[in-house]
Amino acid sequence: MTTSPNTKSADGDCSELAESRRKEAKRRSLRPVNEHFSSTINAESANSKQSLVKNSKGQNSRQTKATSQPHDSASTHVSGLSEYVDDRPEMQNELHCAVIYSTEAHARILSIDASECNTLDGFVDIITAADVHHNCWGPIFKDQPILAKDVVQYYGEIVAVVAAKTLAIAKLAAKRVKVCYEPLDCTMSIQEAISKRLFIGGERKIQRGDPYAKGPHQVTGKLIIQGADHFYLESNAVVVYPRENRLLEVHSSSQHPTETQHVVAEACGLAFSDVICIVKRLGGGFGGKESQAAPIAAYCALMAHKTNRPCRLILTKDDDMIITGKRNPFEIFYDCTFQDDGAIISLDAKLYSDAGAYADLSTAIMERAMLHCDNAYFIPNIFITGQVCKTNHHPHTAFRGFGGPKGVALIELIMEKIAIQISIDALNVRKRNMYRPSFDITHYGQRVENNMLPSLFESLEKECHYKARRKEISDWNRSHQSTIKGLSLTAVKFGISFTTRFLNQGNALVNIHRDGSVQVSTGAVEMGQGVNQRIATLVSSELGVPVDLVRMLSTSTERNANTSPTAASSGTDINGAAALKAIGLIKERLAKLAAILSKTPKEQWPSQTAGLGTAPEIELASPINPESKELKNKLDYECLFSDGQVIVRHHSSINTQPAFSIKFSDLVNEAYLSRISVCEYSHFKIENLGFNKITGQGQAFLYFTQGVAASEVEICRYTGDVKVRRVDILMDLGRPINEALDIGQVTGAFVQGMGWVTTENLVYNKKGLLLTHSPSTYKIPNIQDTPREFNVHLIDNDGNQANFKGTKAVGEPPLLLGISVWTAIQNALSSSPKHLQLEKIPATNEVILRAMHPDLGWTI
C-alpha cells in the first residue's frame, strides 16, 4: 500500500509519520508468488531499469530504478477497501433506478403504461423518450436513441427507467410497467443481413499487387467467429448528484469520462460544462465500457436532473449481459495461393461483421481487423474488403484487441491449412512468410520498424524445445487411443495507437506540493491494468523522488477535459507522455532556480528572507521554453534530479565551484516562496500519424508490439475436452516501465484470449435474447483452465525509438497470442486423417468432438 505524507517539519523534511508509512509500503511491496504459474522474465531487466532523466540542457542522463512496483491498489483490493461506484455511501434522499428493456428483437412500441407503479409506496417517477432533450448518440455515427421512442431494434433496448426510494421497490415497479409491441421483421444473422443488403457504412478496401495471382497451391474457406462477452466483474454502475446551478456530478464506471460527460449533457439539455464525470476505478472494462457506459449514465442522470435528487443505477450481471453488446461476430471468406515451400503468393479475403442494431464502434473495429489480416507475415498480393452488417442484436462494441483478433485468426488459420496441405510443419510456414529485411512493408504501406519477429521466432523455438516436443507429440498421437495432443507457435504484431488520428491526444495536470509530494491527474482510467502505477513510476523516476510520494488522482473531466478513451493500449502512452511533458516544464523552472541558489548565500535564500522581505525576490530571467535550443545552449550548468536531491553541476570554464545539492522538497519550497510555479498542465499528441481511411494507405500506427507464443494442448477423443498443458510466451515490450505489471497483463490477456477461442460460447434464442447471461451458463476460464506450465519472458529491446522512454504497450497484444491454443487444437485434429477442418471460434468441446468424428454425420 502506498501513501503520500501529509505533514512536514519546519525545515522541509518529511515527518516521522510519513517516513514510517514509506517503510511500511516497502515491507508490503513483496511480489506474491503463485505456484500454479512459472512466469519468469529476463533477470537483468527484472532487477533494474534504465530511465532517462533530462537535465537542464536537455541532455539525457541515466539512472537505475527498480521497475517491479506493486499495483497501486493491490493492498486495498485484497483487503476489500477499494472503492467502486456502488461503494459510495447512500444519501438520505437518494433514489434507486431500474431499467425496462425490450423483450422483442424488432418491434413498434404501441404503448408504455406505468399506471400500476403509482400504487407502490416509495415509487417516485418514470422517464421515457419524451423526457430526453437530445435523444440520439453514437461514438462514430449518431444513429442510436438513448431511450427507444417508436421502435425497438434489439432485445434489451431500454425503453424506460423508473426510480423509487429503495432498490426493491424500483425493481418491482419496473416489472409493473407494461409495454405493448407490434413485432416487425427481424434480421438475426450476418448471412440474412447480406441477403437483405442491410449494411452500416460503405465497403472498405485495402489492396496491394494482384490478389488474383495464381500459384501451384490454394486454400479456400469460410471462418466463422462468434462474439464474446467482456465479463467484467463490476457491472455498469452510475451514481449522479445534482449540485447547485444545474451542475450534475456523475460517478460512472466508464472507460471514456469525456464521452459520458457529453452524452449526459446532451440528454439533459445542458452545456458540457454543466456536467462533471468522475471515475475512480473500474472493476474491469476490456472495451465494454468504452462507449456503452455513456447511455447508462444518461439514464440515471436524466432521472436525477428531473427529480433533483441523487440517483443510483447499478445493473445486475444478468441485465448487463443482456443489454450490452459483445465482441463483434465475424464471417470471413478467403482464398489464398502459395508456393511449394509455403510462401504466400496472394490473399483475397472478404470480411463481414455483425454490428448489431446500431453502429457503435463497429466500423472502426472492422478497419483494425483489415489492418491486421497480415499479422506477422509479408503478403505480396492482397485484397481485403470489409463490410459491417446491421442485425437485430444488441449493438456490438469494443473488446480488448478491437478488430485485431479477427484478422490475426484468419491468417493463422491459413498458416495451419497451408502446412496440412503440403505436409510441412506450420512453424516453417510461418517463418517462411514472416516480416524480415526487404520484406517489411505492410499491405497498407507502413514499414515495420524495430522488427523483432525473426529473433522472437528463433528464440522461442529454441527455448521451448519445439522440435523435440513436436516429435514427442507425434509419437504420443500414434500410441494413445484416448487423447491426442497438438502444438502450435503463433505470433502477434499489433499496431499501437488509434487509427482515428484525433484520438491520439492526452493531457495531464501535475501539482507539486511544498513537502515534495506530487499529485497527478490525467485522462487515463484505472480499470485494473495498472495505468496509474505506470504513470506514477514515470513521474517519480523523472523527478527523482520515491514513487509513494506520487498520488494519482481519480479521472475527472473538471481536471482533464476533451480526453480520449482509455483504449487501444494507449492509456500510458498518451497520458504518461503528457505527464512527462508537464514535469519537463516544471523541472526547467526548478533547475534554473537551483542554479541561481547555488550561487546565492543561503542566508539570502527565499526561505530566510521572503517572510520579512529583506532581500529582492528571485526571478527567472526569461520565460523557460524546454524546446528552445538557443536557451539550452546558453546554460552553463546541468541539473540532475535523483534520489530526492537536485544536483547542479557548473561546467563553465569561468566557474570552478563544486557540485551543488539541495533536497527536492526544499527546492520546491524555495520556488513557492519565490512565486515560481511548481504546477503545470500539458497537452500531448502523437506525431507522424497519417493513415488515409479512404485509400487504406499510410502510417496507421506509431509502432508495433510483438510477441510469440507456443501452446500445447491435449484433447480427449471421447468428450472433446481440452487441457492446455503448456504455454511459452516471449514478448517484446521495448523497455518496460514496470515488469511485474507487464507480466500480469501478458498472462491475463493470454488467458482471456484462450477463453475466447475455446469455451466462451454465446447462445441466443430466436428473439435475440442472450440465454447465456450469467456465470452459470457462460464459461470463462477459471484457475483449472489455465496452462499447467506457463512461462512468460520479456526480451531486452532498446531499439524502439518511436515511443517515449522506449516503452511498448502491453494491454491488448498478448490476447491475440491466445489464438495459439486454437491453432494447437487444429494441429491436434490434423493427426486424424478423417477430421473436419475446424474453422470456427470458439472451439468448444462439442465443436471439437464433431470435428473428430465426421463419420457420425455431425457438422460443425
Side-chain angles (χ1 to χ4, degrees), residues 543-563:
L543 291 174
V545 300
V547 71
D548 60 296
L549 288 181
V550 180
R551 168 74 65 181
M552 297 300 298
L553 302 179
S554 60
T555 310
S556 173
T557 57
E558 66 180 335
R559 289 189 293 265
N560 301 94
N562 306 319
T563 57

Side-chain angles (χ1 to χ4, degrees), residues 84 230 232-237 252-257 259-260 281-294 296 317 320 324 361 397-399 525 527 565-566:
Y84 295 89
H230 304 83
Y232 29 71
L233 295 183
E234 177 202 28
S235 296
N236 275 281
S252 171
S253 56
S254 170
Q255 291 178 235
H256 197 350
E259 183 175 45
T260 298
R281 63 166 58 86
L282 305 185
F286 310 117
K289 298 174 182 176
E290 179 178 342
S291 59
Q292 298 199 357
I296 293 170
K317 173 56 71 176
D320 191 293
T324 60
L361 291 163
T397 190
F399 199 139
V525 173
M527 46 190 170
T566 302

Side-chain angles (χ1 to χ4, degrees), residues 483-633:
T483 64
I484 53 174
K485 289 185 176 183
L487 174 64
S488 183
L489 196 159
T490 68
V492 64
K493 173 189 65 66
F494 194 85
I496 303 298
S497 60
F498 294 94
T499 53
T500 300
R501 184 167 52 192
F502 65 78
L503 292 176
N504 294 290
Q505 61 177 308
N507 58 66
L509 175 64
V510 177
N511 297 324
I512 302 181
H513 296 274
R514 293 176 65 184
D515 63 352
S517 63
V518 186
Q519 289 178 330
V520 182
S521 178
T522 75
V525 173
E526 175 57 60
M527 46 190 170
Q529 83 280 41
V531 66
N532 280 348
Q533 186 62 46
R534 286 182 172 85
I535 295 176
T537 300
L538 289 169
V539 169
S540 69
S541 175
E542 195 71 10
L543 291 174
V545 300
V547 71
D548 60 296
L549 288 181
V550 180
R551 168 74 65 181
M552 297 300 298
L553 302 179
S554 60
T555 310
S556 173
T557 57
E558 66 180 335
R559 289 189 293 265
N560 301 94
N562 306 319
T563 57
S564 297
T566 302
S569 302
S570 63
T572 300
D573 281 13
I574 58 178
N575 294 285
L580 291 182
K581 189 174 180 180
I583 288 168
L585 295 170
I586 297 172
K587 285 177 63 179
E588 289 286 343
R589 295 194 284 267
L590 290 177
K592 194 168 186 70
L593 174 62
I596 293 172
L597 293 177
S598 70
K599 299 179 181 181
T600 303
K602 192 167 186 177
E603 59 270 17
Q604 295 180 22
W605 285 11
S607 58
Q608 306 299 317
T609 63
L612 298 176
T614 57
E617 186 175 61
I618 294 178
E619 295 185 8
L620 304 184
S622 59
I624 299 298
N625 179 2
E627 305 301 326
S628 172
K629 294 181 180 179
E630 292 78 15
L631 177 62
K632 291 176 181 177
N633 291 335

